[in-house]
Amino acid sequence: GDIAFMYGNQDSFTIISPIYALVLEFFSVEMGAKIICIVSHLFFAIASIMLLDVWTKKFHCNKYLLPLVFVFFYLYCSYGETRSVLNQINYVEPYFAPRTLSAAFGLLGLTILFRKKWISLLLFLGGMLFHPLMAGWGLPLWLFFYYPKTVYPISIFSLLFPLTLFLKIGPFDAFDTDWRSFYKTIHFFHFASFLLFYAYCWRYAQNKAVKNIARALFWIVSIALYWHVVGIKTEHIFLNMVQTFRIEWLCIATTFPLFCIVLYNLFVNKIRKRKALCLTEKLIFLFLFLFWIDSVLIDALTLISL
């Protein structure tokens, strides 16, 4: 009765199974699992540091790289699967998972998004080989960033796609199990906070690259939110198989450095000069600080350090 296994998204679209089997056969199950887990986590850590290093250099706030790295890992690597209103960021498990490798490739794709157009695309595609529902969200980001006119046809297609429910063919049908309850754990507040921040960067950012990536992210997250709501309401099998909540890795990986860049620029240009913040800027701080809440003590230290 598990929809994911019934329609094959667990093993049919990843190359990790034969690779994992080879490692386990060569090193034994226990040692092989430890090795591939450590390698995948190190790869993710290196990709994260490279992303923060390149982005902070590009936007002239790289002297804060070290504390940002520690805060980023704290936010991104909250181990476990516990999901609640105040703690949703759990995408790096304390064991090996294809999601970790896929997200690492996605982070590398984001790292060179501004500089190496086609290599960035290849990295997103490479990440899809390990877990298409993770790195796959980098493809529309790449497309909207470099070819912004594609936003409109893809958005129209995305708007009309749920109508495939009327075909009632295989995955283009509704399911009648309680399996969909898993997706209700994703809180729409998070989508709203991301959209508010991207809209702010799109409208007010001075840097053209920030405006372009914020615009692309705004459209992608809007589509994900729409598919998420429609998927739950209509019980559309395909929309739920897409697992729109997987876009959170992309939101976290982009929002955190962008938010630090925005905060740094506001500090330099307004706060230090004692200029008043507009209402939108105050709302941005409120929403984003609330979103990152996990430990009150750690967050207090984080805000002070920033």
Side-chain angles (χ1 to χ4, degrees):
D2 189 309
I3 301 296
F5 282 98
M6 289 169 62
Y7 289 90
N9 83 344
Q10 293 298 305
D11 192 54
S12 302
F13 304 101
T14 175
I15 65 171
I16 199 62
S17 294
I19 296 174
Y20 201 6
L22 188 64
V23 173
L24 296 183
E25 184 177 4
F26 188 81
F27 289 103
S28 80
V29 173
E30 183 175 355
M31 182 58 65
K34 287 181 180 179
I35 290 173
I36 201 166
C37 178
I38 292 171
V39 169
S40 65
H41 280 65
L42 283 175
F43 181 33
F44 179 89
I46 292 169
S48 301
I49 295 171
M50 290 177 63
L51 171 68
L52 293 173
D53 180 47
V54 170
W55 280 37
T56 52
K57 283 180 180 176
K58 180 175 180 60
F59 301 110
H60 311 295
C61 56
N62 58 304
K63 63 181 178 180
Y64 295 107
L65 175 63
L66 186 59
L68 295 186
V69 167
F70 284 111
V71 177
F72 183 80
F73 285 146
Y74 160 72
L75 295 172
Y76 216 126
C77 304
S78 301
Y79 285 128
E81 291 290 343
T82 303
R83 292 188 177 276
S84 65
V85 175
L86 300 181
N87 181 12
Q88 285 278 336
I89 307 168
N90 299 289
Y91 270 122
V92 181
E93 292 87 354
Y95 49 84
F96 170 69
R99 288 186 293 271
T100 306
L101 278 177
S102 184
F105 272 93
L107 290 169
L108 290 179
L110 290 173
T111 300
I112 63 172
L113 180 66
F114 302 116
R115 301 181 299 169
K116 304 289 185 180
K117 178 179 178 181
W118 298 110
I119 297 179
S120 176
L121 175 61
L122 289 176
L123 286 168
F124 288 133
L125 291 172
M128 289 182 66
L129 295 176
F130 295 98
H131 197 295
L133 304 181
M134 295 289 285
W137 285 106
L139 292 184
L141 172 65
W142 183 91
L143 191 64
F144 292 171
F145 183 78
Y146 281 108
Y147 304 98
K149 290 184 178 179
T150 59
V151 164
Y152 303 107
I154 291 177
S155 296
I156 293 172
F157 171 79
S158 301
L159 184 68
L160 298 176
F161 184 80
L163 296 177
T164 55
L165 186 70
F166 295 106
L167 296 176
K168 296 188 179 300
I169 301 175
F172 305 111
D173 199 357
F175 55 86
D176 56 0
T177 71
D178 290 333
W179 184 74
R180 68 184 183 276
S181 62
F182 172 74
Y183 296 97
K184 294 181 181 180
T185 62
I186 310 302
H187 298 277
F188 302 118
F189 168 78
H190 294 155
F191 281 110
S193 63
F194 285 132
L195 286 174
L196 175 66
F197 179 68
Y198 296 143
Y200 170 80
C201 291
W202 183 6
R203 173 66 178 82
Y204 293 105
Q206 301 296 318
N207 187 284
K208 185 178 179 181
V210 172
K211 293 175 75 74
N212 289 342
I213 197 169
R215 181 190 64 242
L217 287 164
F218 179 86
W219 283 106
I220 295 168
V221 176
S222 296
I223 291 171
L225 175 59
Y226 170 70
W227 275 21
H228 185 71
V229 173
V230 174
I232 290 176
K233 294 298 182 182
T234 64
E235 303 174 1
H236 194 294
I237 292 175
F238 185 88
L239 293 185
N240 282 275
M241 290 282 285
V242 170
Q243 298 183 356
T244 51
F245 62 89
R246 296 294 183 195
I247 199 176
E248 280 188 325
W249 81 266
L250 179 62
C251 296
I252 298 161
T254 54
T255 302
F256 177 72
L258 285 177
F259 181 56
C260 293
I261 291 164
V262 168
L263 183 61
Y264 173 75
N265 289 331
L266 283 177
F267 174 75
V268 170
N269 299 318
K270 281 196 170 183
I271 298 174
R272 192 164 62 180
K273 297 178 181 178
R274 297 187 179 181
K275 293 182 179 179
L277 300 178
C278 69
L279 178 60
T280 307
E281 291 162 346
K282 293 178 181 178
L283 287 175
I284 289 296
F285 292 142
L286 175 63
F287 271 76
L288 267 296
F289 285 153
L290 286 176
F291 177 77
W292 299 123
I293 287 178
D294 186 0
S295 162
V296 177
L297 174 61
I298 296 298
D299 280 306
L301 297 174
T302 300
L303 298 184
I304 292 171
S305 65
L306 288 174

